[in-house]
Amino acid sequence: MTILVVEDDAVQQRLLRFFLEQQGYQVISASNVSEALTCIQPGLPDALLLDAMLPDGSGLDVCRQIRQLAEGQPLPILLLTAYDIEPVIVEAFEAGVTDFIPKPVNLRLLERRLYYLLRAARHEAALREREQQYRTLVNALPDVVIRGRRDGTVTYFKPSETCPAEPDSSLPYSTR
């Protein structure tokens, strides 16, 4: 697992790198916004530790940009902030932060939060893969496939080659 640490304080960055490497992670470091954005590639990193205040911009701006680049991929972003007051945290979650840790960083708390964030991301990725497999399988079927709720709401409709693309409204089900 690869962790990107975006921290402008050199001592804090080295401490985080040392601690994370002791936990078995590979660590990539960046000390500002531009370095951080160059480190983001498809599939890398597996998680991001992001300082809220960087010399060339806000960590939240980095988070927003990464969320746009990631195209919905489950990249855990853990914000490191000295400002753990409600308005800052609300703004952080709105920017796409997954969770936060107040500074000074408690390393045991970091270890546990990172463990659970990575575990959740792996489960989400597995669910996305299974959903894609399911959709591929269902779309390959020549038959009509309709999935619905007990109240009659159709949640998925896949027509057959001989069936119209829209369900017939005279049939006893709803497309609410």
Side-chain angles (χ1 to χ4, degrees):
M1 292 267 149
T2 302
I3 310 298
L4 172 58
V5 176
V6 183
E7 171 63 63
D8 62 324
D9 181 293
V11 173
Q12 185 78 358
Q13 189 183 93
R14 281 195 298 270
L15 173 69
L16 291 169
R17 173 184 282 279
F18 177 77
F19 178 75
L20 293 169
E21 287 174 345
Q22 292 299 310
Q23 304 302 312
Y25 297 108
Q26 292 180 319
V27 179
I28 302 169
S29 297
S31 57
N32 58 48
V33 171
S34 57
E35 286 178 16
L37 293 174
T38 60
C39 293
I40 302 296
Q41 303 166 14
L44 278 178
D46 296 299
L48 173 63
L49 297 184
L50 181 61
D51 188 5
M53 298 188 62
L54 297 166
D56 60 342
S58 162
L60 299 184
D61 291 336
V62 174
C63 184
R64 287 182 191 98
Q65 291 178 41
I66 289 171
R67 288 297 182 216
Q68 290 175 349
L69 294 173
E71 298 174 354
Q73 295 304 311
L75 174 66
I77 299 177
L78 189 58
L79 185 71
L80 310 175
T81 181
Y83 304 103
D84 63 341
I85 56 175
E86 184 178 350
V88 173
I89 300 308
V90 168
E91 183 183 0
F93 284 122
E94 288 172 353
V97 166
T98 311
D99 204 351
F100 76 97
I101 292 183
K103 283 184 169 184
V105 174
N106 176 319
L107 295 176
R108 290 294 149 209
L109 178 62
L110 172 63
E111 175 187 20
R112 298 313 306 159
R113 290 240 175 111
L114 195 53
Y115 169 80
Y116 285 110
L117 289 174
L118 288 167
R119 188 174 87 170
R122 282 192 306 272
H123 288 294
E124 185 177 342
L127 283 172
R128 286 175 187 244
E129 183 179 333
R130 285 190 196 108
E131 180 182 12
Q132 184 57 45
Q133 290 171 347
Y134 165 78
R135 287 189 182 282
T136 300
L137 177 66
V138 168
N139 289 333
L141 293 173
D143 299 323
V144 172
V145 177
I146 300 173
R147 182 177 63 205
R149 297 189 185 113
R150 290 181 186 216
D151 68 359
T153 303
V154 173
T155 58
Y156 180 81
F157 177 81
K158 185 239 164 251
S160 73
E161 287 76 34
T162 60
C163 181
E166 289 295 319
D168 185 345
S169 61
S170 66
L171 294 175
Y173 56 83
S174 166
T175 57
R176 284 183 253 160

